[in-house]
Amino acid sequence: MTHVLTALAWPYANGPRHIGHVAGFGVPADVFARYMRMRGHDVLMVSGTDEHGTPILVQADSEGLKPAEAAAKYNRIIVEDLDALGLSYDLFTRTTTGNHYKTVQELFSTLYGNGYILQKKTLGAISPSTGRTLPDRYIEGTCPHCGFDSARGDQCDNCGRQLDPVDLIDPKSRINGETPKFVEEDHFFLDLPAFADALHAWLDTRTGWRTNVVRFTKNLLDDLQPRPISRDLDWGVPIPLDGWVDRKDKRLYVWFDAVIGYLSATIEWARRSGDPDAWQRWWRDPEAVSYYFMGKDNIVFHSEIWPAMLLGANGEGAKGGEPGALGKLNLPTEVVSSEFLTMEGRQFSSSRRVVIYVRDFLERYSPDALRYYICAAGPENQDSDFTWAEFLRRNNDELVAGWGNLVNRSVAMAAKNFGAVPEPGELEQVDRELLEATRASFDAVGDLIGQNKVRAAIGEAMKTVAAANKYLADTAPWKMKEDPKRQGTVLFTVLQAVSDLKTVMSPFLPHSSQKVHELLGGEGVFAPMPRIEEVDDLDEGAGATDGPYPVLTGDYSDVPKWESVPLVPGTPLDKPVPVFAKLDPSIVDEEIERLNS
């Protein structure tokens, strides 16, 4: 058994999340975590809502709310959406907790004590109309290195260079289009150049990473610059230094505290579990592994900055040092980054209404229909485009006519003719070949999921579904009424294949796998689902949330093994209800009209 940390990017709590977000971090990570649990590993899946920084202030102002009220509002919406999608978090929390504040300040203090945090003057971008600091990512302009006209204030997505807003040519605020005012300020910086050699050495030990992540990260290492980690704000984690901690105008930069959330969420989970030291099994055990899931716009924070922070906290950068109170912490095993999902040929944009939010989608369609589309056609290694026509095709032609048809036909025939799982006679070659194929799919699909090749994995599973459908068509058990023993053998064989496939499909499609389990006469929970719990903050004082708040959690201790389990002849079967709903072609025009309205 291996301790496996599954760390998902923290969705920002300034609005509901759209399907492009969950395609990048949510569904691929859940497939991986569910599979790893079924393989017998001790998985911990954590994340939460990212609730600090200027974007929260901007959203709060637009709604006439206080920052804490806006963050709480969208925290709840996001928790409910991720629950409905079936993402099996052990803990989905938030960054506005006393536990998180303490963990962030502890890591800051360790980095500062080891000499990896610098204090210096810098030019900060201020909004002339509001007087507030503009986050680097909220400033766009032309890259001074490659000429890309949509470079952000922190980096250029075209050439990968780290930038500062003052470097941009013709910088503009993404909030209101005004030209920022640059003023001199005292701030703290993470000394990234001090980690250049250690990061190079660490990256050289990483194998099997997606090419886009490795290439992007190594390009970044050629031009490391100190990175600001504080801002002129009153909303965020206070800087834990004498003369700074009580200041109302200085806070740690939101990106700095958000990446520490993986650690703080694990610590919070351990404290809530009743074993406060349990977090160490995922962070300090040298044999533990950790996988970080996000969209490509977050690569830099997970493959360069967070590893640098961990190296510094361990005393392993160019300046040396000693581990702090948290001890020596594990660096990421793999950074799993997806590309971007577009929609009907356009980039998702809430402001331009080119968007479909997760909750709106799930009000009209099943969660497994969305999960299937993301698994089969998501932006795993390259940008992909969500279209309603393709969603309709995949739902009707693959889910309904493929997997759903196999389940319903086989269960319906067995229920009608035998009322139970039939007792098989001697298997023929064609029967054995199908069962060999379904048993082989455990290794084939599992190996691909373990490599985070979700598209190939579900494609392999659907090939086995096609083989089972072909077997059913070729043997035609509905024509065997005069030979009930052979009919029973064929139906037992295809039902065993269906049983195997429900297990293989469960990481991708947990809701429907539960239904198939029940159609085959199974009892109890087959594919565990998350649940929402209302909790109180574990701490008082700075950062503590006032009043109960929702977290996503669950009990995943009793999951099926990743293996074929023999069906029991005689298990009663009832007439099945369809596992998936066939969609009317009219939804394409309806959804496109809704998008363009």
Side-chain angles (χ1 to χ4, degrees):
M1 179 184 70
T2 302
H3 298 298
V4 181
L5 180 69
T6 306
L8 286 69
W10 290 59
Y12 209 71
N14 65 335
R17 299 299 89 185
H18 56 64
I19 63 171
H21 292 130
V22 295
F25 74 85
V27 173
D30 190 54
V31 171
F32 179 79
R34 287 178 178 275
Y35 165 71
M36 285 301 206
R37 292 187 187 109
M38 295 172 76
R39 288 303 302 264
H41 298 301
D42 196 356
V43 175
L44 192 69
M45 180 165 149
V46 296
S47 184
T49 43
D50 182 2
E51 301 185 8
H52 293 130
T54 300
I56 295 292
L57 299 175
V58 172
Q59 186 65 33
D61 280 351
S62 71
E63 298 186 36
L65 300 173
K66 295 178 180 179
E69 294 171 336
K73 171 184 175 180
Y74 291 111
N75 162 261
R76 185 171 294 277
I77 288 173
I78 292 168
V79 165
E80 291 172 351
D81 290 351
L82 301 184
D83 174 60
L85 196 52
L87 301 189
S88 56
Y89 287 96
D90 291 276
L91 183 67
F92 183 90
T93 181
R94 57 196 307 191
T95 56
T96 51
T97 69
N99 172 79
H100 179 71
Y101 273 49
K102 289 179 179 179
T103 307
V104 170
Q105 292 177 332
E106 177 62 43
L107 207 65
F108 175 95
S109 298
T110 302
L111 287 166
Y112 185 82
N114 284 341
Y116 295 110
I117 291 179
L118 313 173
Q119 182 180 344
K120 64 177 186 175
K121 293 187 180 298
T122 184
L123 291 177
I126 302 296
S127 166
S129 61
T130 67
R132 285 182 179 153
T133 297
L134 284 170
D136 295 349
R137 287 195 160 203
Y138 272 60
I139 303 171
E140 284 189 348
T142 300
C143 176
H145 302 288
C146 70
F148 181 57
D149 62 3
S150 295
R152 297 196 309 264
D154 59 346
Q155 70 186 48
C156 175
D157 286 338
N158 186 55
C159 68
R161 299 280 190 104
Q162 180 181 333
L163 299 173
D164 193 276
V166 74
D167 299 330
L168 294 173
I169 300 169
D170 193 25
K172 300 290 183 185
S173 166
R174 290 175 56 195
I175 298 173
N176 56 18
E178 65 186 0
T179 300
K181 177 183 177 182
F182 292 96
V183 298
E184 189 174 73
E185 304 167 336
D186 282 319
H187 278 294
F188 292 94
F189 287 72
L190 179 65
D191 188 7
L192 281 176
F195 302 106
D197 292 342
L199 286 170
H200 271 292
W202 170 70
L203 279 171
D204 287 342
T205 68
R206 303 298 88 200
T207 59
W209 283 27
R210 291 179 179 174
T211 304
N212 64 327
V213 179
V214 175
R215 184 188 305 118
F216 185 85
T217 306
K218 288 191 173 180
N219 286 341
L220 293 174
L221 296 185
D222 294 335
D223 187 32
L224 289 179
Q225 302 294 327
R227 186 108 182 187
I229 63 170
S230 61
R231 274 294 180 261
D232 286 330
L233 291 171
D234 60 359
W235 177 245
V237 180
I239 300 167
L241 294 174
D242 290 342
W244 291 83
V245 70
D246 294 324
R247 291 186 62 167
K248 303 297 185 185
D249 61 337
K250 301 284 185 181
R251 292 291 186 270
L252 290 173
Y253 206 167
V254 61
W255 70 257
F256 180 83
D257 91 76
V259 292
I260 299 173
Y262 302 114
L263 177 58
S264 70
T266 312
I267 292 172
E268 181 183 345
W269 169 84
R271 294 175 66 189
R272 292 192 183 282
S273 76
D275 181 3
D277 295 326
W279 66 273
Q280 298 184 36
R281 298 199 292 267
W282 286 270
W283 285 94
R284 298 188 61 181
D285 178 358
E287 300 301 316
V289 294
S290 54
Y291 292 79
Y292 291 73
F293 293 81
M294 79 290 303
K296 66 180 178 182
D297 55 334
N298 272 322
I299 292 176
V300 61
F301 297 103
H302 296 83
S303 67
E304 177 194 276
I305 296 173
W306 180 227
M309 292 165 62
L310 291 168
L311 286 164
N314 292 341
E316 296 176 334
K319 298 178 180 179
E322 297 292 332
L326 296 172
K328 186 175 180 179
L329 304 170
N330 292 339
L331 272 66
T333 301
E334 184 169 348
V335 173
V336 186
S337 169
S338 297
E339 301 294 296
F340 288 150
L341 185 71
T342 55
M343 186 173 185
E344 297 290 349
R346 292 180 283 175
Q347 285 189 341
F348 278 97
S349 171
S350 299
S351 61
R352 293 191 293 271
R353 300 181 64 82
V354 183
V355 68
I356 179 166
Y357 295 114
V358 172
R359 64 177 36 210
D360 293 337
F361 193 104
L362 297 183
E363 283 178 357
R364 301 193 286 277
Y365 310 105
S366 75
D368 276 5
L370 176 57
R371 290 177 66 109
Y372 180 77
Y373 187 97
I374 290 171
C375 291
E380 186 173 290
N381 290 306
Q382 61 185 17
D383 292 353
S384 63
D385 189 41
F386 177 93
T387 68
W388 286 107
E390 181 66 358
F391 171 70
L392 175 77
R393 186 192 71 77
R394 288 191 178 273
N395 183 84
N396 288 358
D397 296 353
E398 296 176 10
L399 273 186
V400 175
W403 177 218
N405 181 57
L406 174 67
V407 173
N408 289 324
R409 290 175 72 196
S410 57
V411 174
M413 281 188 283
K416 179 181 178 181
N417 290 282
F418 296 90
V421 175
E423 182 74 44
E426 184 175 349
L427 299 185
E428 296 182 2
Q429 180 65 21
V430 66
D431 310 324
R432 290 192 293 271
E433 287 176 353
L434 176 62
L435 296 182
E436 287 169 3
T438 60
R439 285 193 291 267
S441 68
F442 284 94
D443 284 342
V445 174
D447 288 348
L448 290 166
I449 296 176
Q451 299 174 58
N452 286 298
K453 296 179 179 178
V454 173
R455 289 182 68 159
I458 201 165
E460 189 69 33
M462 291 301 286
K463 285 180 185 177
T464 310
V465 169
N469 270 317
K470 184 177 185 302
Y471 168 85
L472 200 58
D474 290 346
T475 55
W478 53 88
K479 296 180 180 179
M480 296 178 177
K481 292 183 180 180
E482 303 303 318
D483 187 359
K485 190 157 188 69
R486 177 59 187 157
Q487 184 185 51
T489 301
V490 169
L491 289 174
F492 173 86
T493 300
V494 75
L495 287 174
Q496 180 66 62
V498 167
S499 179
D500 289 348
L501 284 165
K502 79 160 189 305
T503 305
V504 169
M505 284 291 191
S506 62
F508 312 104
L509 310 174
H511 302 85
S512 53
S513 285
Q514 178 68 40
K515 291 180 182 178
V516 176
H517 171 71
E518 293 166 5
L519 290 176
L520 291 174
E523 297 179 349
V525 175
F526 180 78
M529 289 293 166
R531 66 178 184 271
I532 299 173
E533 287 187 1
E534 300 289 332
V535 300
D536 291 316
D537 204 314
L538 293 168
D539 299 280
E540 298 179 353
T545 298
D546 184 17
Y549 61 94
V551 298
L552 204 55
T553 186
D555 181 2
Y556 315 107
S557 58
D558 187 18
V559 296
K561 292 183 178 180
W562 187 256
E563 62 186 18
S564 175
V565 176
L567 275 180
V568 178
T571 301
L573 298 176
D574 294 322
K575 181 180 179 181
V577 295
V579 178
F580 302 105
K582 187 174 183 179
L583 301 176
D584 191 286
S586 64
I587 70 150
V588 175
D589 291 338
E590 292 171 0
E591 292 291 356
I592 291 177
E593 182 179 353
R594 185 180 285 114
L595 178 65
N596 293 329
S597 63

